[in-house]
Amino acid sequence: LQALFDQPRFEIEHIIPFSRSLDNTFLNKTLCRNDYNRQKGKQTPWEVFGGTDQWDQMVERIRKMGNRRKLALFQMTESGEDKLLEDFTARQLTDTKYASKLAAQYVGTLFGGVVDAAGTRRVVTCAGEVTAHLRRAWNLNRILSETPEKSRDDHRHHAVDAVAIALASHKWIKALSDFSKTSLSRRPLANAVIPDPWPGFREEVHAQILERTIVSHRPEKKLHGALHEETIYGKPHIENGKQIVHVRKPVTSLTTRAAIEDIVDPAVQDAVMRHFGFCGEDARKFAENPPCLPSGVPIKSARIRKSLATVTVGAGVRQRAVATGDNHHMEVVAELDKDGKPKRYRGIVVSRLEALRRFRRREPVIQKSHGPGFEFCFTLREGDMVEYAPDGALKELWRVRGVTVQANGSVILSRASDARLKKELAASDLPRPPANQFMKRGGRKVQVSPLGEVAQAHD
């Protein structure tokens, strides 16, 4: 154990040097003493030790391990190495993963099979490692990112992969191998440089990816999901024209004086406020030193007054007040003037709970009739695609990330190519135009085919 970990005298090495075989699989790896690995360098075991007194002893030790394939690699001569490289190149153009096999069979139906009647391979499933090396060698990763490594923050990275896959061939795998042989680096392919497939290749790919590639998304139409938040509130009542509910919270969560002032019970509020000042206005200290009532009873939690719109769920003694959860869609309607022309637009937001209730009542989930003087335009929901000009000038493709009741109905957008999760996006990456502003700036709902064809969507 000391020789392996504390003061390591062994390291992983490639039996046939990676710079010559590009084979980084377990089959081509072994543990080797440091000094022997330095002596071996970029040579095969036969080239270093073949014909010496040590050779027969080495072969015998490996034979006793019972791995015939590793033994064959260890004994490989130059002719065997040429055959290995040829086989390896072929393997890189034939990915054996189950999903790849199924995809190849599916695409192969267009060509009479993966291999046609004449024995010609019509569908190639390329190993991911090779495409990664080609993307890096041709500097394709920098098309969508400033770093040399692949970024998945932009959906168009799939188009970059497609370029590398389309160009993967024996020619370029051999070019990687040739570069690796002459490199002095221990990770030769990390900085591999090979010729461009044609003059102006990178500039052309850059223009195609950034200017002409259109991303399509599937809209979210399901009804199931979180129908309401988990918190149960007290029976709502009206105070100063606002709906007020009560909810119990631990006093350690009341981190400001304004939050403590929302405590319903005056005696509890006074005790917590005095103790808050005593603890240096640090509610975290309440955990070990809680505030107490004059009677000495410690206060661990308190009922808080909160202005919140709620809905009721359940019936009878099981009826509870809850806040609605996710919103299902927004119905965009135009308010018409006396001439029947739109003068302003509204966004009527429907929660997932209300959408499910409509479904159970056998009503249309999307209501298109909103009374006289209103005209239904379309609905917007998560995953929908829209055209919108945030500055009122140049229209862009955006993806709907959600809808909110704020500002008389607003839509939350992100650029169609942005692959980051909603929680990873900054506020500046998530514009929230109200329905009226969205429509006044030429916003419209569109559908994008898998081939990138944009057409107006109709509900």
PDB file of all heavy atoms in Angstrom, residues 243-258:
ATOM      1  N   GLN A 243     -56.353  40.791   1.088  1.00  0.00           N
ATOM      2  CA  GLN A 243     -56.600  39.468   1.651  1.00  0.00           C
ATOM      3  C   GLN A 243     -55.408  39.065   2.510  1.00  0.00           C
ATOM      4  O   GLN A 243     -54.272  39.064   2.056  1.00  0.00           O
ATOM      5  CB  GLN A 243     -56.826  38.433   0.543  1.00  0.00           C
ATOM      6  CG  GLN A 243     -57.082  37.028   1.094  1.00  0.00           C
ATOM      7  CD  GLN A 243     -57.483  36.036   0.026  1.00  0.00           C
ATOM      8  OE1 GLN A 243     -58.507  36.220  -0.622  1.00  0.00           O
ATOM      9  NE2 GLN A 243     -56.663  35.010  -0.170  1.00  0.00           N
ATOM     10  N   ILE A 244     -55.676  38.725   3.763  1.00  0.00           N
ATOM     11  CA  ILE A 244     -54.624  38.377   4.716  1.00  0.00           C
ATOM     12  C   ILE A 244     -54.814  36.932   5.169  1.00  0.00           C
ATOM     13  O   ILE A 244     -55.939  36.478   5.423  1.00  0.00           O
ATOM     14  CB  ILE A 244     -54.653  39.313   5.942  1.00  0.00           C
ATOM     15  CG1 ILE A 244     -54.482  40.769   5.505  1.00  0.00           C
ATOM     16  CG2 ILE A 244     -53.578  38.923   6.955  1.00  0.00           C
ATOM     17  CD1 ILE A 244     -53.152  41.069   4.839  1.00  0.00           C
ATOM     18  N   VAL A 245     -53.690  36.209   5.262  1.00  0.00           N
ATOM     19  CA  VAL A 245     -53.701  34.857   5.803  1.00  0.00           C
ATOM     20  C   VAL A 245     -52.654  34.777   6.907  1.00  0.00           C
ATOM     21  O   VAL A 245     -51.742  35.599   6.992  1.00  0.00           O
ATOM     22  CB  VAL A 245     -53.409  33.798   4.718  1.00  0.00           C
ATOM     23  CG1 VAL A 245     -54.532  33.741   3.702  1.00  0.00           C
ATOM     24  CG2 VAL A 245     -52.072  34.077   4.035  1.00  0.00           C
ATOM     25  N   HIS A 246     -52.802  33.774   7.765  1.00  0.00           N
ATOM     26  CA  HIS A 246     -51.845  33.545   8.836  1.00  0.00           C
ATOM     27  C   HIS A 246     -51.101  32.231   8.570  1.00  0.00           C
ATOM     28  O   HIS A 246     -51.703  31.259   8.096  1.00  0.00           O
ATOM     29  CB  HIS A 246     -52.546  33.460  10.200  1.00  0.00           C
ATOM     30  CG  HIS A 246     -53.179  34.744  10.620  1.00  0.00           C
ATOM     31  ND1 HIS A 246     -54.069  34.850  11.675  1.00  0.00           N
ATOM     32  CD2 HIS A 246     -53.066  36.010  10.111  1.00  0.00           C
ATOM     33  CE1 HIS A 246     -54.459  36.101  11.814  1.00  0.00           C
ATOM     34  NE2 HIS A 246     -53.877  36.821  10.869  1.00  0.00           N
ATOM     35  N   VAL A 247     -49.823  32.231   8.880  1.00  0.00           N
ATOM     36  CA  VAL A 247     -49.012  31.026   8.712  1.00  0.00           C
ATOM     37  C   VAL A 247     -48.012  30.971   9.852  1.00  0.00           C
ATOM     38  O   VAL A 247     -47.490  32.008  10.300  1.00  0.00           O
ATOM     39  CB  VAL A 247     -48.308  31.019   7.333  1.00  0.00           C
ATOM     40  CG1 VAL A 247     -47.369  32.208   7.180  1.00  0.00           C
ATOM     41  CG2 VAL A 247     -47.545  29.716   7.119  1.00  0.00           C
ATOM     42  N   ARG A 248     -47.731  29.794  10.355  1.00  0.00           N
ATOM     43  CA  ARG A 248     -46.800  29.647  11.470  1.00  0.00           C
ATOM     44  C   ARG A 248     -45.379  29.464  10.928  1.00  0.00           C
ATOM     45  O   ARG A 248     -45.139  28.657  10.029  1.00  0.00           O
ATOM     46  CB  ARG A 248     -47.195  28.457  12.342  1.00  0.00           C
ATOM     47  CG  ARG A 248     -46.346  28.302  13.602  1.00  0.00           C
ATOM     48  CD  ARG A 248     -46.988  27.332  14.570  1.00  0.00           C
ATOM     49  NE  ARG A 248     -48.213  27.870  15.139  1.00  0.00           N
ATOM     50  CZ  ARG A 248     -48.246  28.696  16.171  1.00  0.00           C
ATOM     51  NH1 ARG A 248     -47.115  29.097  16.743  1.00  0.00           N
ATOM     52  NH2 ARG A 248     -49.395  29.135  16.632  1.00  0.00           N
ATOM     53  N   LYS A 249     -44.438  30.226  11.520  1.00  0.00           N
ATOM     54  CA  LYS A 249     -43.036  30.164  11.107  1.00  0.00           C
ATOM     55  C   LYS A 249     -42.149  30.085  12.340  1.00  0.00           C
ATOM     56  O   LYS A 249     -42.483  30.640  13.405  1.00  0.00           O
ATOM     57  CB  LYS A 249     -42.645  31.409  10.303  1.00  0.00           C
ATOM     58  CG  LYS A 249     -43.182  31.448   8.888  1.00  0.00           C
ATOM     59  CD  LYS A 249     -42.566  32.617   8.121  1.00  0.00           C
ATOM     60  CE  LYS A 249     -42.996  32.611   6.671  1.00  0.00           C
ATOM     61  NZ  LYS A 249     -42.345  33.722   5.913  1.00  0.00           N
ATOM     62  N   PRO A 250     -40.978  29.431  12.232  1.00  0.00           N
ATOM     63  CA  PRO A 250     -40.023  29.439  13.355  1.00  0.00           C
ATOM     64  C   PRO A 250     -39.456  30.840  13.540  1.00  0.00           C
ATOM     65  O   PRO A 250     -39.227  31.561  12.561  1.00  0.00           O
ATOM     66  CB  PRO A 250     -38.941  28.445  12.915  1.00  0.00           C
ATOM     67  CG  PRO A 250     -39.055  28.367  11.435  1.00  0.00           C
ATOM     68  CD  PRO A 250     -40.504  28.597  11.110  1.00  0.00           C
ATOM     69  N   VAL A 251     -39.239  31.232  14.785  1.00  0.00           N
ATOM     70  CA  VAL A 251     -38.764  32.591  15.046  1.00  0.00           C
ATOM     71  C   VAL A 251     -37.347  32.799  14.508  1.00  0.00           C
ATOM     72  O   VAL A 251     -36.929  33.938  14.267  1.00  0.00           O
ATOM     73  CB  VAL A 251     -38.814  32.910  16.553  1.00  0.00           C
ATOM     74  CG1 VAL A 251     -40.248  33.007  17.028  1.00  0.00           C
ATOM     75  CG2 VAL A 251     -38.024  31.881  17.368  1.00  0.00           C
ATOM     76  N   THR A 252     -36.603  31.721  14.307  1.00  0.00           N
ATOM     77  CA  THR A 252     -35.249  31.864  13.751  1.00  0.00           C
ATOM     78  C   THR A 252     -35.272  32.371  12.318  1.00  0.00           C
ATOM     79  O   THR A 252     -34.259  32.837  11.800  1.00  0.00           O
ATOM     80  CB  THR A 252     -34.504  30.515  13.797  1.00  0.00           C
ATOM     81  OG1 THR A 252     -35.319  29.517  13.173  1.00  0.00           O
ATOM     82  CG2 THR A 252     -34.208  30.102  15.228  1.00  0.00           C
ATOM     83  N   SER A 253     -36.437  32.284  11.638  1.00  0.00           N
ATOM     84  CA  SER A 253     -36.540  32.758  10.258  1.00  0.00           C
ATOM     85  C   SER A 253     -36.914  34.235  10.180  1.00  0.00           C
ATOM     86  O   SER A 253     -36.926  34.805   9.094  1.00  0.00           O
ATOM     87  CB  SER A 253     -37.574  31.932   9.488  1.00  0.00           C
ATOM     88  OG  SER A 253     -38.887  32.162  10.001  1.00  0.00           O
ATOM     89  N   LEU A 254     -37.199  34.866  11.316  1.00  0.00           N
ATOM     90  CA  LEU A 254     -37.593  36.283  11.340  1.00  0.00           C
ATOM     91  C   LEU A 254     -36.332  37.125  11.509  1.00  0.00           C
ATOM     92  O   LEU A 254     -35.928  37.466  12.622  1.00  0.00           O
ATOM     93  CB  LEU A 254     -38.589  36.530  12.476  1.00  0.00           C
ATOM     94  CG  LEU A 254     -39.822  35.605  12.496  1.00  0.00           C
ATOM     95  CD1 LEU A 254     -40.715  35.939  13.678  1.00  0.00           C
ATOM     96  CD2 LEU A 254     -40.589  35.715  11.189  1.00  0.00           C
ATOM     97  N   THR A 255     -35.708  37.456  10.401  1.00  0.00           N
ATOM     98  CA  THR A 255     -34.374  38.060  10.440  1.00  0.00           C
ATOM     99  C   THR A 255     -34.389  39.584  10.419  1.00  0.00           C
ATOM    100  O   THR A 255     -33.335  40.207  10.499  1.00  0.00           O
ATOM    101  CB  THR A 255     -33.547  37.556   9.247  1.00  0.00           C
ATOM    102  OG1 THR A 255     -34.245  37.876   8.031  1.00  0.00           O
ATOM    103  CG2 THR A 255     -33.341  36.055   9.329  1.00  0.00           C
ATOM    104  N   THR A 256     -35.579  40.219  10.310  1.00  0.00           N
ATOM    105  CA  THR A 256     -35.661  41.684  10.300  1.00  0.00           C
ATOM    106  C   THR A 256     -36.770  42.141  11.234  1.00  0.00           C
ATOM    107  O   THR A 256     -37.675  41.364  11.596  1.00  0.00           O
ATOM    108  CB  THR A 256     -35.955  42.220   8.884  1.00  0.00           C
ATOM    109  OG1 THR A 256     -37.250  41.768   8.465  1.00  0.00           O
ATOM    110  CG2 THR A 256     -34.903  41.725   7.888  1.00  0.00           C
ATOM    111  N   ARG A 257     -36.718  43.415  11.630  1.00  0.00           N
ATOM    112  CA  ARG A 257     -37.763  43.970  12.489  1.00  0.00           C
ATOM    113  C   ARG A 257     -39.113  43.995  11.772  1.00  0.00           C
ATOM    114  O   ARG A 257     -40.166  43.792  12.381  1.00  0.00           O
ATOM    115  CB  ARG A 257     -37.373  45.382  12.935  1.00  0.00           C
ATOM    116  CG  ARG A 257     -36.236  45.400  13.954  1.00  0.00           C
ATOM    117  CD  ARG A 257     -35.944  46.796  14.463  1.00  0.00           C
ATOM    118  NE  ARG A 257     -34.945  46.750  15.524  1.00  0.00           N
ATOM    119  CZ  ARG A 257     -35.226  46.583  16.811  1.00  0.00           C
ATOM    120  NH1 ARG A 257     -36.497  46.469  17.188  1.00  0.00           N
ATOM    121  NH2 ARG A 257     -34.273  46.554  17.718  1.00  0.00           N
ATOM    122  N   ALA A 258     -39.089  44.238  10.445  1.00  0.00           N
ATOM    123  CA  ALA A 258     -40.340  44.256   9.673  1.00  0.00           C
ATOM    124  C   ALA A 258     -41.013  42.891   9.718  1.00  0.00           C
ATOM    125  O   ALA A 258     -42.248  42.791   9.805  1.00  0.00           O
ATOM    126  CB  ALA A 258     -40.054  44.670   8.237  1.00  0.00           C
TER     127      ALA A 258
END
